[in-house]
Amino acid sequence: SSPHLVQVRERIRINGQPISKDLFNKYFWLVYNRLEETKDPAHASMPAYFRFLTIMAFHVFLQEKVDLAVVEVGIGGTYDCTNIIRAPVVCGVSSLGIDHTSILGDTMEKIAWQKGGIFKPGVPAFTVAQPERPLEVLRERAQERECPLYLCPELDDFEEGCRELELGLAGAHQRSNAALALQLARTWLQRRGCQGIGELKEVPPSTELLGRPVPLAPAFQLTDAMIQGLRDTEWLGRTQVLSHGPVTWYLDGAHTTSSIQACVRWFRQVALNQDKPHDGSEVRVLLFNATGDRDMAALLKLLVPCHFDYAVFCPNFTEVSVANNADQQNFNVTLENALTRCLENQRTWTRLLDEKVGQDPWLPSPLRVGGLLQPAPARASLLLVPPAPRPLNSPALVFPCLAQALRWVAQGRDPHLAAPAASGAHPHPAASSGAVLLREAAAVRVLVTGSLHLVGGVLRLLDPALSQ
């Protein structure tokens, strides 16, 4: 799987656990040296980062004699380096979204064509509910490749009576992922000739092809092991909640329009529906960064309805100096480039909030002075003397690294983080004012989103055990 959050070893797992440092070291040098010895002298280059790790993963799985390898494509499918498996047992395509447009294309249909490139002759494939045209493209790709393609039934169809299946991963979107996982798992078990893998349920003829270009796969009776598997599933950095005293961190690596929408629905459900603290003082903070060719303004606009009191932007670097932190380093991005992107996000967020003035109950109405209508004062001055018990939507701040950003947000109230330096660390006037509000709030709720690399950096600082 990719990308990793904290350590590169997360990408290659056996029985759910990242391979050990010793095993990673052993196979890394074995593969590296073999490639070095056999490379073409005329074109003396090694495979790039992701290609190298893909080759290494296949080698690890073969040498360790795993029974089953689950391989997630990197980008797209058709031209992805994972797509060299000639005869997989089964293929799956989850919910499509617009991402990596410079490589995959800028429409859902183009992206569907790329994803359908993993289909193989005679190998069953499953997908979940998709918009009409992209689903048509997937069907056409399946026909081209003589691949039997099926649509997964909703997870509700697997539930008996009133018993709702419990998922270890939060968010409504995970229900379609779970439905896909069940079909993939059952296909593998069936191939192995396993007994007791769940009796198929009859599909009513009226629903089988009701306006669907792709036939509906039958639901089946779930075994106890399947029910437990769905319940016990963990995936760090996806709809993850860390409660550290008065500070609660909500981590989700969403980075596309559709996944940010799902993230907002989840955050509003788990964080904003909670009972307010007794004294009412709750501060909401957005920590955001996004990378690549993504439309930052479109993503940020989706986050405005959450009514954040602060928006904090910083690069995906845990510290300003990343020399001792190679797993977190992106050698294609300089600190200057990353900070420029953060400053653009800061300006975009401020503009989005300005557009909301007058439409939003949390924002101040213009003040009347001497009978004349005056513009609302700058938000920085509003923060110095908050006119309401709840802090108002406030300026966006930029920090050069995650460590500084997290220390400012937590203000010494998270036992996993040191308090910010007393002087000189935060010259921004809004930062010093906000520090008082953050220190005195009964609850601080922080949503971290926009990038899996950002979430990984935050996890590295909040849970040092993950780096071991």
Side-chain angles (χ1 to χ4, degrees):
S1 65
S2 62
H4 62 272
L5 290 173
V6 177
Q7 296 196 78
V8 68
R9 296 182 293 110
E10 297 165 29
R11 294 175 183 238
I12 306 173
R13 298 168 182 254
I14 296 179
N15 293 333
Q17 296 303 311
I19 61 173
S20 68
K21 289 182 180 179
D22 288 343
L23 216 53
F24 187 93
N25 190 45
K26 169 187 165 182
Y27 286 123
F28 176 91
W29 288 113
L30 202 154
V31 172
Y32 184 92
N33 291 332
R34 186 73 57 83
L35 291 171
E36 184 70 42
E37 291 160 9
T38 56
K39 68 185 180 188
D40 182 353
H43 306 91
S45 64
M46 295 287 276
Y49 184 84
F50 184 80
R51 289 188 176 200
F52 181 92
L53 288 172
T54 302
I55 295 166
M56 182 176 154
F58 287 140
H59 186 69
V60 169
F61 293 149
L62 288 166
Q63 294 301 307
E64 295 296 313
K65 297 182 172 55
V66 300
D67 300 297
L68 164 69
V70 181
V71 180
E72 181 202 29
V73 301
I75 294 176
T78 299
Y79 304 116
D80 192 78
C81 63
T82 58
N83 198 27
I84 62 167
I85 304 170
R86 294 187 184 91
V89 172
V90 63
C91 296
V93 175
S94 60
S95 183
L96 297 170
I98 298 285
D99 198 15
H100 302 294
T101 51
S102 61
I103 301 170
L104 304 181
D106 55 3
T107 67
M108 291 277 272
E109 289 81 3
K110 291 176 183 175
I111 290 170
W113 188 91
Q114 296 278 2
K115 301 286 185 182
I118 66 171
F119 297 157
K120 303 291 185 292
V123 174
F126 295 88
T127 189
V128 296
Q130 311 280 8
E132 186 178 351
R133 274 299 298 141
L135 188 58
E136 279 281 356
V137 173
L138 288 176
R139 181 181 65 84
E140 290 162 10
R141 291 286 270 162
Q143 285 179 334
E144 281 171 25
R145 292 166 171 261
E146 299 177 345
C147 157
L149 176 65
Y150 302 94
L151 195 64
C152 294
E154 299 290 334
L155 199 60
D156 296 359
D157 296 337
F158 291 91
E159 294 173 348
E160 296 172 8
C162 300
R163 185 183 62 170
E164 186 174 342
L165 287 168
E166 189 183 333
L167 300 186
L169 298 176
H173 57 292
Q174 296 294 356
R175 291 182 68 79
S176 82
N177 289 336
L180 179 59
L182 287 170
Q183 295 289 351
L184 300 179
R186 189 181 192 282
T187 305
W188 160 249
L189 293 168
Q190 197 172 19
R191 168 71 72 89
R192 288 291 295 266
C194 294
Q195 300 299 313
I197 57 172
E199 294 300 313
L200 291 177
K201 296 181 179 178
E202 290 295 321
V203 179
S206 59
T207 64
E208 189 167 359
L209 285 170
L210 192 63
R212 291 187 177 95
V214 176
L216 188 69
F220 51 87
Q221 180 117 22
L222 300 189
T223 65
D224 290 342
M226 290 172 179
I227 293 168
Q228 183 182 346
L230 293 176
R231 187 176 59 238
D232 294 348
T233 300
E234 290 181 345
W235 200 250
L236 297 182
R238 278 76 167 180
T239 58
Q240 182 181 2
V241 180
L242 294 176
S243 297
H244 291 180
V247 186
T248 307
W249 306 90
Y250 300 86
L251 311 175
D252 191 74
H255 50 273
T256 65
T257 303
S258 54
S259 60
I260 289 283
Q261 286 171 329
C263 172
V264 167
R265 285 194 296 270
W266 163 72
F267 179 69
R268 293 181 76 139
Q269 182 183 353
V270 297
L272 307 192
N273 285 348
Q274 298 216 348
D275 293 336
K276 291 286 191 300
H278 293 306
D279 65 358
S281 60
E282 173 185 295
V283 177
R284 300 176 196 161
V285 181
L286 170 67
L287 178 56
F288 180 91
N289 192 40
T291 59
D293 54 4
R294 298 182 175 95
D295 184 343
M296 310 292 178
L299 300 184
L300 288 169
K301 189 171 184 177
L302 295 171
L303 291 158
V304 170
C306 291
H307 300 299
F308 291 104
D309 304 302
Y310 299 96
V312 176
F313 304 99
C314 72
N316 294 342
F317 302 126
T318 47
E319 303 283 352
V320 175
S321 169
V322 291
N324 299 321
N325 191 5
D327 277 11
Q328 296 293 133
Q329 190 165 0
N330 183 343
F331 293 96
N332 298 319
V333 179
T334 65
L335 180 59
E336 288 76 14
N337 289 344
L339 282 172
T340 300
R341 178 74 63 93
C342 292
L343 291 166
E344 289 170 5
N345 288 337
Q346 181 188 39
R347 283 192 291 272
T348 300
W349 185 257
T350 303
R351 175 176 56 77
L352 288 168
L353 290 188
D354 286 341
E355 291 170 1
K356 291 284 285 181
V357 171
Q359 309 170 21
D360 195 312
W362 291 120
L363 292 174
S365 56
L367 303 178
R368 290 185 177 276
V369 179
L372 299 173
L373 194 65
Q374 299 290 332
R379 288 194 181 82
S381 59
L382 275 174
L383 277 171
L384 293 173
V385 187
R390 175 191 168 81
L392 300 170
N393 275 310
S394 52
L397 289 86
V398 172
F399 289 94
C401 69
L402 277 165
Q404 288 191 26
L406 295 191
R407 282 197 292 267
W408 177 77
V409 170
Q411 290 295 320
R413 304 179 73 193
D414 183 329
H416 297 81
L417 295 167
S423 61
H426 308 301
H428 196 303
S432 57
S433 170
V436 175
L437 297 173
L438 288 163
R439 277 198 297 268
E440 294 180 354
V444 179
R445 305 195 190 283
V446 192
L447 175 63
V448 182
T449 193
S451 162
L452 278 166
H453 302 287
L454 175 77
V455 168
V458 169
L459 275 172
R460 187 184 187 94
L461 293 166
L462 294 180
D463 188 354
L466 291 173
S467 303
Q468 300 309 310

